Amino acid sequence: MAKYLLLKHYRGAPAAVNDVPMEQWTPEEVSAHVRYMREFAARLEATGEFVDGQALAPEGTFVRYDGEGRPPVTDGPFAETKDLIAGWMVIDVDSYERAVELAGELSAAPGAGGKPIHEWLELRPFYAAPPTITE
Amino acid sequence: MDEALVRSLTPSVLGILVRRGADFAAAEDAVQDALVEAVRTWPADPPRDPKGWLVAVAWRRFLDATRADTARRRREDSLDGEPAPGPAPGVDDTLQLYFLCAHPSLTPSSAVALTLRAVGGLTTGQIARAYLVPEATMAQRISRAKRTVSGVRFDRPGDVATVLRVLYLVFNEGYSGDVDLAAEAIRLTRQLAAAIDHPEPAGLLALMLLHHARRAARTAPDGSLVPLAEQDRGRWDTGAIAEGVAILQAALARDRLGEFQAQAAIAALHADAPTAEETDWVQVVEWYDELVRLTGSPVVRLNRAVAVGEADGPRAGLAALAALDDSLPRYAAVAAHLHERDGDLATAARLYVEAAHKAPNLAERAHLTRQAARLNGRSGR
């Protein structure tokens, strides 16, 4: 009963083992990949472990407060940004071990040649509510 | 319609159906149908005997559903052979549900969800909101749990320890829905302790009451955590403390010590002290020794080191700490506290920062960061 965020990166994560950019896959390979992701989410819904998930567009803007009465400052997008998040999924599982197991499965999504991408996924625990008993 | 009444009747109605031979998952569906029917008809036409009404309607629904399923013809035949239902002590039926919902084949989160639904009478939506997951997710979790225990027969008493662990998990969850899970855990544990002749459910009930009694004083109005030593003891619920202590004493008198009784004894020693300074730390350490003997848990040893630090001074606490693995949760926080009391402020500040990075929740992180800031001399200036 702990929530984890699975982060999928466009870039910033270490290179995947099967590291072929998606635009160089065949259309069938792309479809297979998308289907795998969808089925993975559906499976987690069925096990009662799915909380939420979304894909993110690569374009982002940085926004900053610029003082009283002035509009916020915006900047970017920064093409040189090292880390770009492609999407995320939140799961609610019984243990860290289970979270790692699921992230491993997600990382096995098929890519070029129908082989698993072996991409790196970032796994981050959510802060929990303070327990009723601490002392 | 009295929702609390319906909620309290749900488990015994379900228990009666299951005792009559209904499959658990099918019985649960039938009881939910009966509840929906009650919501619809009771306001205009309240029954004289709500429980009897629910049993009758749920049983009819169950039979209808079973009959409709021709593939289950054989089961129906065997049902006809079941003895006619008679009056039975409701509490025993509920007790069976406790054991079923804590069945070892379930994962902890499934056991918790099923207990809240089948024994607590909560709706799937209420449980989902309390755990901050979508209702569809919680519905799946519950229906999987129901399927898992569906074939289990009620022919032998289950493991009390497993049931208690599930209730303890419920109590320890933060809550965020319209149901206070701590209060719900107390209600269910109270029911269990009344139904079962064993001092440990009483020990767990005492433990919950003693911690719940301090709840109002545990957080500041801004939501930040107030440590035990700094809590305004005038805000503790003395009624709940007195009840918890009385329940604990009766349990201890039966001379079958268990870990929940020992934990409750420690909580009672804290609750008993008029000020933090007057806490009987020597006795607290003795109870921790019992707990170490009962559980062998490294987390208990860590808490014991804190108590030793209070009873015999920070050096003794640090010595006790030195024997433990520094990867334990909250190890750095305990070490920071002991080093500060020992006067080594630089080490303490560094350890508070480390502890803040490892804190499992935001309230604790903020608290530990404030401790580090205080020692670094920038707080409040």
Side-chain angles (χ1 to χ4, degrees):
Chain A
M1 282 169 291
K3 292 194 182 65
Y4 289 88
L5 174 67
L6 294 177
L7 275 182
K8 201 174 157 66
H9 296 254
Y10 281 116
R11 60 171 178 269
V17 172
N18 183 9
D19 194 18
V20 180
M22 214 167 177
E23 61 272 14
Q24 292 169 29
W25 300 358
T26 68
E28 293 73 29
E29 285 164 0
V30 174
S31 298
H33 179 82
V34 171
R35 191 166 56 244
Y36 184 95
M37 305 301 278
R38 208 172 39 230
E39 285 170 2
F40 179 79
R43 198 145 38 83
L44 290 193
E45 280 179 42
T47 58
E49 292 172 309
F50 182 80
V51 178
D52 205 353
Q54 295 285 322
L56 294 176
E59 295 82 23
T61 309
F62 278 83
V63 180
R64 196 198 71 195
Y65 174 64
D66 197 39
E68 196 62 51
R70 298 156 71 110
V73 179
T74 61
D75 205 352
F78 300 102
E80 74 277 16
T81 301
K82 279 168 69 184
D83 185 7
L84 260 184
I85 295 163
W88 52 269
M89 185 182 288
V90 177
I91 55 176
D92 185 24
V93 291
D94 270 312
S95 64
Y96 173 73
E97 287 70 28
R98 176 65 178 157
V100 170
E101 183 185 326
L102 290 177
E105 273 185 45
L106 191 57
S107 160
K115 302 231 166 55
I117 326 177
H118 299 273
E119 69 180 329
W120 290 95
L121 291 168
E122 193 180 352
L123 180 65
R124 299 275 297 271
F126 276 59
Y127 276 125
T132 311
I133 292 182
T134 45
E135 301 94 356
Chain B
M1 195 179 78
D2 184 348
E3 200 196 317
L5 171 73
V6 173
R7 193 191 286 180
S8 69
L9 290 176
T10 304
S12 60
V13 171
L14 178 55
I16 287 169
L17 259 64
V18 172
R19 185 170 46 78
R20 285 185 189 175
D23 170 80
F24 178 77
E28 226 271 345
D29 288 340
V31 171
Q32 290 300 322
D33 282 349
L35 292 177
V36 170
E37 186 69 20
V39 170
R40 212 168 55 78
T41 61
W42 285 14
D45 182 18
R48 232 173 318 155
D49 173 9
K51 182 169 161 182
W53 188 98
L54 285 172
V55 171
V57 172
W59 185 247
R60 204 161 52 232
R61 289 298 167 99
F62 167 71
L63 288 182
D64 287 349
T66 310
R67 289 208 181 96
D69 189 353
T70 48
R72 297 188 182 180
R73 178 77 55 195
R74 242 184 314 159
R75 171 151 16 141
E76 186 190 0
D77 292 343
S78 77
L79 274 170
D80 287 341
E82 290 282 327
V91 92
D92 291 340
D93 295 318
T94 306
L95 196 54
Q96 291 182 325
L97 288 187
Y98 273 100
F99 286 112
L100 186 69
C101 294
H103 197 269
S105 61
L106 296 171
T107 62
S109 55
S110 300
V112 162
L114 195 59
T115 301
L116 287 171
R117 163 94 170 230
V119 189
L122 300 186
T123 67
T124 305
Q126 285 173 318
I127 303 169
R129 283 192 291 280
Y131 284 92
L132 294 174
V133 299
E135 189 163 339
T137 295
M138 192 49 81
Q140 285 290 359
R141 208 177 276 180
I142 290 170
S143 66
R144 278 172 70 91
K146 275 160 63 175
R147 275 203 302 279
T148 305
V149 296
S150 166
V152 175
R153 291 295 300 183
F154 282 136
D155 51 1
R156 61 195 166 84
D159 179 7
V160 184
T162 316
V163 176
L164 297 180
R165 202 152 45 239
V166 168
L167 293 171
Y168 187 70
L169 279 177
V170 174
F171 183 75
N172 249 327
E173 265 327 298
Y175 69 104
S176 39
D178 45 359
V179 177
D180 179 344
L181 287 178
E184 186 61 22
I186 289 174
R187 186 176 76 83
L188 298 181
T189 308
R190 199 185 283 283
Q191 223 177 62
L192 180 71
I196 202 169
D197 186 32
H198 193 296
E200 270 292 87
L204 178 60
L205 177 59
L207 177 66
M208 289 179 178
L209 286 168
L210 288 163
H211 276 282
H212 203 57
R214 297 205 286 256
R215 179 148 150 194
R218 281 186 77 228
T219 43
D222 65 359
S224 63
L225 224 52
V226 183
L228 183 56
E230 291 162 28
Q231 287 172 18
D232 173 3
R233 292 174 186 230
R235 297 184 65 202
W236 289 0
D237 179 347
T238 47
I241 291 175
E243 193 195 353
V245 168
I247 291 170
L248 172 66
Q249 281 170 343
L252 289 175
R254 300 184 59 183
D255 209 20
R256 282 166 69 195
L257 188 64
E259 60 173 301
F260 289 118
Q261 292 170 74
Q263 278 197 60
I266 293 165
L269 285 167
H270 288 302
D272 259 357
T275 65
E277 293 70 36
E278 289 169 86
T279 307
D280 186 346
W281 286 106
V282 174
Q283 264 211 69
V284 171
V285 172
E286 286 168 10
W287 278 111
Y288 271 119
D289 290 338
E290 289 284 359
L291 258 183
V292 168
R293 191 177 57 77
L294 287 165
T295 67
S297 150
V299 175
V300 169
R301 288 177 204 274
L302 186 71
N303 287 324
R304 183 182 167 279
V306 178
V308 168
E310 297 294 338
D312 303 328
R315 290 287 164 87
L318 286 168
L321 197 62
L324 300 175
D325 183 348
D326 64 7
S327 68
L328 279 170
R330 299 196 172 86
Y331 181 97
V334 169
H337 172 72
L338 290 169
H339 277 293
E340 182 184 353
R341 290 203 50 229
D342 193 38
D344 184 354
L345 302 189
T347 305
R350 183 177 55 74
L351 286 166
Y352 276 128
V353 172
E354 188 186 325
H357 285 311
K358 293 178 180 167
N361 60 70
L362 277 173
E364 244 177 271
R365 185 180 74 173
H367 173 72
L368 292 163
T369 306
R370 272 194 297 274
Q371 299 297 318
R374 178 175 52 80
L375 294 186
N376 286 329
R378 295 192 54 189
S379 106
R381 289 183 205 168

